[in-house]
Amino acid sequence: MNIEQVILGFIYGEAMTGYELKKRFDESVAHFFGATFSGIYPALRRMEKEGLIEKEVVPQEGRPSKNIVRITEKGRQSFADYLKSPLSPGVQKSDLLVRYFFGRYAAEGQIRGWLLEERERMTDTREGLLHMRRGALNDPETDAFRLKTLEMGIAQIEFSLRWIDEELAMEPGAELTGPESREERRRCES
Amino acid sequence: MNIEQVILGFIYGEAMTGYELKKRFDESVAHFFGATFSGIYPALRRMEKEGLIEKEVVPQEGRPSKNIVRITEKGRQSFADYLKSPLSPGVQKSDLLVRYFFGRYAAEGQIRGWLLEERERMTDTREGLLHMRRGALNDPETDAFRLKTLEMGIAQIEFSLRWIDEELAMEPGAELTGPESREERRRCES
DNA sequence: ACACCCATGTAACATGTTACATGATTCT
DNA sequence: AGAATCATGTAACATGTTACATGGGTGT
């Protein structure tokens, strides 16, 4: 799975600009595949060269021309091929869990700080996803897949939040036991 | 968070080779941060140049010399700085969920195929993690952090598996048909 | 006044993956 | 006989991020 294939999905039913594409990413699959302008625009250029899309330039006053991209027959074929190809394995990266693994080297209160930091970020993300869900519910175009994708994102975040809250509920420092750990810990406090 | 910082964590308490490092990754944080030889060896070279590690070359017969890497004082400082730095946000990539989002374009039975493919991969990953957990429990060196990191990985996978099974149950023709599928199911129930 | 929206894009950088390249030893 | 383990590394490729560059319109 790469950014080109996901873009094909978005423009499969509706032509749009790179700017609009970014919005579509953000309000749908961003939780499972993020995209930035610097990823989208070069991808669109490659895709045009490969014949997967056609560009229509619409001049505007006071701002750059709109580049409306439309999927071609070749693009539809390419998207269908993607759907038939083997799933690429999921990837996850979590700085929190990596640090947690090395918890014995953490200073006092440090783990708690990480947990709180992650909790705040996740709470914000959850707010954003709930907001999108409300938007999706008010949009007659929304189908069950969009809704359930959002809901899976929300459920995952809430799962992680529960873990974080359980960890926080443990007494601060309760994880650290034994003199060895404490010695190691001091070394990292400098 | 990058590979150098995680390597520092592994060699913080014990010198080892690049080969051993790979094993440590695989049996601990691989679920939250993967590493390959092609990532590890160049990283070690950079780290030596930066003065974060020292290399001790131990010649061997019939195979390449061991390059045992040991953390330096500068390396310890660098690791401590990492632990104090802001958490990098978690990243997730899921081809399954992206495709699911575009489910309206899928052919008949195609979504089911994706769900089954992902379930099989996840079931295998779960087996691997459970195996590591048993290994960790038999290892007197294991601390609570290592164990709980593994357990969080297992819990996440089981969370995803539950979602997949719910989706499979909803689909038309929900009964698992072939003998293969039935075997898979038994494995999950055990 | 200030911030956010619209709308495009490039260049440098960071990071990681796949394939290539070698080869003895030990287990099944 | 064949697979897995030990043990190193390079080169080419893919992919994505951050900072840079521009600039009017719209809402508070």
Side-chain angles (χ1 to χ4, degrees), chain A residues 32-50:
Chain A
F32 302 107
F33 187 101
T36 60
F37 286 126
S38 322
I40 291 170
Y41 287 121
L44 290 177
R45 182 176 278 206
R46 288 195 302 273
M47 291 165 79
E48 198 185 7
K49 209 180 285 177
E50 294 163 29

mmCIF file of all heavy atoms in Angstrom, chain A residues 32-50:
data_model
loop_
_atom_site.group_PDB
_atom_site.id
_atom_site.type_symbol
_atom_site.label_atom_id
_atom_site.label_comp_id
_atom_site.label_asym_id
_atom_site.label_seq_id
_atom_site.Cartn_x
_atom_site.Cartn_y
_atom_site.Cartn_z
ATOM 1 N N PHE A 32 -5.016 5.631 9.945
ATOM 2 C CA PHE A 32 -4.426 4.384 9.453
ATOM 3 C C PHE A 32 -3.432 4.594 8.315
ATOM 4 O O PHE A 32 -2.724 3.685 7.915
ATOM 5 C CB PHE A 32 -5.521 3.413 9.007
ATOM 6 C CG PHE A 32 -6.481 3.084 10.098
ATOM 7 C CD1 PHE A 32 -7.771 3.598 10.107
ATOM 8 C CD2 PHE A 32 -6.089 2.277 11.148
ATOM 9 C CE1 PHE A 32 -8.654 3.298 11.135
ATOM 10 C CE2 PHE A 32 -6.957 1.971 12.188
ATOM 11 C CZ PHE A 32 -8.248 2.487 12.181
ATOM 12 N N PHE A 33 -3.415 5.811 7.812
ATOM 13 C CA PHE A 33 -2.458 6.150 6.758
ATOM 14 C C PHE A 33 -2.452 7.665 6.595
ATOM 15 O O PHE A 33 -3.383 8.235 6.014
ATOM 16 C CB PHE A 33 -2.837 5.480 5.435
ATOM 17 C CG PHE A 33 -1.808 5.651 4.354
ATOM 18 C CD1 PHE A 33 -0.921 4.624 4.053
ATOM 19 C CD2 PHE A 33 -1.700 6.853 3.664
ATOM 20 C CE1 PHE A 33 0.027 4.791 3.065
ATOM 21 C CE2 PHE A 33 -0.749 7.021 2.672
ATOM 22 C CZ PHE A 33 0.116 5.989 2.376
ATOM 23 N N GLY A 34 -1.430 8.287 7.072
ATOM 24 C CA GLY A 34 -1.352 9.749 7.023
ATOM 25 C C GLY A 34 -0.784 10.254 5.712
ATOM 26 O O GLY A 34 -0.059 9.540 5.023
ATOM 27 N N ALA A 35 -1.124 11.479 5.345
ATOM 28 C CA ALA A 35 -0.577 12.063 4.124
ATOM 29 C C ALA A 35 -0.383 13.568 4.328
ATOM 30 O O ALA A 35 -1.137 14.200 5.050
ATOM 31 C CB ALA A 35 -1.504 11.811 2.944
ATOM 32 N N THR A 36 0.649 14.084 3.701
ATOM 33 C CA THR A 36 0.910 15.522 3.758
ATOM 34 C C THR A 36 0.966 16.057 2.330
ATOM 35 O O THR A 36 1.066 15.299 1.374
ATOM 36 C CB THR A 36 2.263 15.809 4.436
ATOM 37 O OG1 THR A 36 3.297 15.178 3.675
ATOM 38 C CG2 THR A 36 2.301 15.273 5.854
ATOM 39 N N PHE A 37 0.902 17.381 2.212
ATOM 40 C CA PHE A 37 0.980 17.992 0.882
ATOM 41 C C PHE A 37 2.246 17.557 0.149
ATOM 42 O O PHE A 37 2.223 17.273 -1.046
ATOM 43 C CB PHE A 37 0.975 19.515 0.989
ATOM 44 C CG PHE A 37 -0.380 20.067 1.335
ATOM 45 C CD1 PHE A 37 -0.548 20.914 2.432
ATOM 46 C CD2 PHE A 37 -1.491 19.749 0.580
ATOM 47 C CE1 PHE A 37 -1.797 21.417 2.750
ATOM 48 C CE2 PHE A 37 -2.748 20.247 0.890
ATOM 49 C CZ PHE A 37 -2.900 21.085 1.987
ATOM 50 N N SER A 38 3.320 17.491 0.898
ATOM 51 C CA SER A 38 4.602 17.140 0.275
ATOM 52 C C SER A 38 4.632 15.688 -0.173
ATOM 53 O O SER A 38 5.533 15.270 -0.883
ATOM 54 C CB SER A 38 5.751 17.393 1.228
ATOM 55 O OG SER A 38 5.540 18.550 1.967
ATOM 56 N N GLY A 39 3.669 14.925 0.276
ATOM 57 C CA GLY A 39 3.566 13.574 -0.230
ATOM 58 C C GLY A 39 2.590 13.525 -1.390
ATOM 59 O O GLY A 39 2.801 12.813 -2.369
ATOM 60 N N ILE A 40 1.531 14.292 -1.260
ATOM 61 C CA ILE A 40 0.450 14.249 -2.248
ATOM 62 C C ILE A 40 0.864 14.846 -3.597
ATOM 63 O O ILE A 40 0.702 14.208 -4.638
ATOM 64 C CB ILE A 40 -0.786 15.007 -1.699
ATOM 65 C CG1 ILE A 40 -1.396 14.223 -0.534
ATOM 66 C CG2 ILE A 40 -1.813 15.212 -2.800
ATOM 67 C CD1 ILE A 40 -2.466 14.991 0.246
ATOM 68 N N TYR A 41 1.417 16.045 -3.583
ATOM 69 C CA TYR A 41 1.703 16.708 -4.860
ATOM 70 C C TYR A 41 2.706 15.938 -5.729
ATOM 71 O O TYR A 41 2.442 15.709 -6.907
ATOM 72 C CB TYR A 41 2.133 18.157 -4.625
ATOM 73 C CG TYR A 41 0.981 19.054 -4.208
ATOM 74 C CD1 TYR A 41 0.995 19.749 -3.008
ATOM 75 C CD2 TYR A 41 -0.140 19.190 -5.024
ATOM 76 C CE1 TYR A 41 -0.068 20.559 -2.626
ATOM 77 C CE2 TYR A 41 -1.208 20.002 -4.648
ATOM 78 C CZ TYR A 41 -1.168 20.693 -3.440
ATOM 79 O OH TYR A 41 -2.220 21.497 -3.078
ATOM 80 N N PRO A 42 3.829 15.511 -5.177
ATOM 81 C CA PRO A 42 4.732 14.696 -6.003
ATOM 82 C C PRO A 42 4.067 13.401 -6.491
ATOM 83 O O PRO A 42 4.320 12.958 -7.607
ATOM 84 C CB PRO A 42 5.899 14.394 -5.064
ATOM 85 C CG PRO A 42 5.883 15.504 -4.074
ATOM 86 C CD PRO A 42 4.444 15.833 -3.877
ATOM 87 N N ALA A 43 3.215 12.813 -5.645
ATOM 88 C CA ALA A 43 2.527 11.581 -6.055
ATOM 89 C C ALA A 43 1.637 11.862 -7.266
ATOM 90 O O ALA A 43 1.615 11.078 -8.221
ATOM 91 C CB ALA A 43 1.692 11.037 -4.901
ATOM 92 N N LEU A 44 0.916 12.975 -7.225
ATOM 93 C CA LEU A 44 0.023 13.314 -8.343
ATOM 94 C C LEU A 44 0.820 13.490 -9.633
ATOM 95 O O LEU A 44 0.393 13.068 -10.702
ATOM 96 C CB LEU A 44 -0.765 14.593 -8.024
ATOM 97 C CG LEU A 44 -1.816 14.458 -6.928
ATOM 98 C CD1 LEU A 44 -2.467 15.801 -6.645
ATOM 99 C CD2 LEU A 44 -2.869 13.427 -7.314
ATOM 100 N N ARG A 45 1.972 14.097 -9.507
ATOM 101 C CA ARG A 45 2.808 14.293 -10.685
ATOM 102 C C ARG A 45 3.252 12.947 -11.271
ATOM 103 O O ARG A 45 3.190 12.728 -12.483
ATOM 104 C CB ARG A 45 4.028 15.133 -10.292
ATOM 105 C CG ARG A 45 4.928 15.437 -11.452
ATOM 106 C CD ARG A 45 6.061 16.337 -11.030
ATOM 107 N NE ARG A 45 5.623 17.731 -11.002
ATOM 108 C CZ ARG A 45 6.439 18.757 -11.155
ATOM 109 N NH1 ARG A 45 7.726 18.545 -11.322
ATOM 110 N NH2 ARG A 45 5.979 19.987 -11.133
ATOM 111 N N ARG A 46 3.693 12.052 -10.385
ATOM 112 C CA ARG A 46 4.085 10.725 -10.863
ATOM 113 C C ARG A 46 2.915 10.010 -11.523
ATOM 114 O O ARG A 46 3.045 9.385 -12.565
ATOM 115 C CB ARG A 46 4.569 9.855 -9.681
ATOM 116 C CG ARG A 46 5.913 10.243 -9.107
ATOM 117 C CD ARG A 46 6.467 9.129 -8.202
ATOM 118 N NE ARG A 46 5.586 8.772 -7.092
ATOM 119 C CZ ARG A 46 5.580 9.387 -5.909
ATOM 120 N NH1 ARG A 46 6.407 10.397 -5.682
ATOM 121 N NH2 ARG A 46 4.767 8.991 -4.968
ATOM 122 N N MET A 47 1.755 10.141 -10.883
ATOM 123 C CA MET A 47 0.572 9.439 -11.385
ATOM 124 C C MET A 47 0.148 9.954 -12.754
ATOM 125 O O MET A 47 -0.344 9.199 -13.589
ATOM 126 C CB MET A 47 -0.565 9.580 -10.381
ATOM 127 C CG MET A 47 -0.315 8.821 -9.106
ATOM 128 S SD MET A 47 -1.399 9.305 -7.762
ATOM 129 C CE MET A 47 -2.899 8.421 -8.183
ATOM 130 N N GLU A 48 0.353 11.240 -12.979
ATOM 131 C CA GLU A 48 -0.001 11.776 -14.292
ATOM 132 C C GLU A 48 0.950 11.203 -15.343
ATOM 133 O O GLU A 48 0.538 10.802 -16.431
ATOM 134 C CB GLU A 48 0.081 13.310 -14.279
ATOM 135 C CG GLU A 48 -0.676 13.926 -15.442
ATOM 136 C CD GLU A 48 -0.490 15.431 -15.514
ATOM 137 O OE1 GLU A 48 0.332 15.967 -14.733
ATOM 138 O OE2 GLU A 48 -1.134 16.049 -16.363
ATOM 139 N N LYS A 49 2.224 11.144 -14.966
ATOM 140 C CA LYS A 49 3.220 10.607 -15.883
ATOM 141 C C LYS A 49 2.922 9.140 -16.229
ATOM 142 O O LYS A 49 3.134 8.694 -17.349
ATOM 143 C CB LYS A 49 4.620 10.735 -15.252
ATOM 144 C CG LYS A 49 5.733 10.888 -16.285
ATOM 145 C CD LYS A 49 7.099 11.007 -15.613
ATOM 146 C CE LYS A 49 7.316 12.387 -14.985
ATOM 147 N NZ LYS A 49 8.604 12.492 -14.268
ATOM 148 N N GLU A 50 2.418 8.419 -15.224
ATOM 149 C CA GLU A 50 2.099 7.003 -15.437
ATOM 150 C C GLU A 50 0.753 6.802 -16.147
ATOM 151 O O GLU A 50 0.363 5.675 -16.436
ATOM 152 C CB GLU A 50 2.042 6.278 -14.072
ATOM 153 C CG GLU A 50 3.377 6.193 -13.345
ATOM 154 C CD GLU A 50 3.201 5.847 -11.863
ATOM 155 O OE1 GLU A 50 2.208 5.160 -11.516
ATOM 156 O OE2 GLU A 50 4.032 6.274 -11.036
#
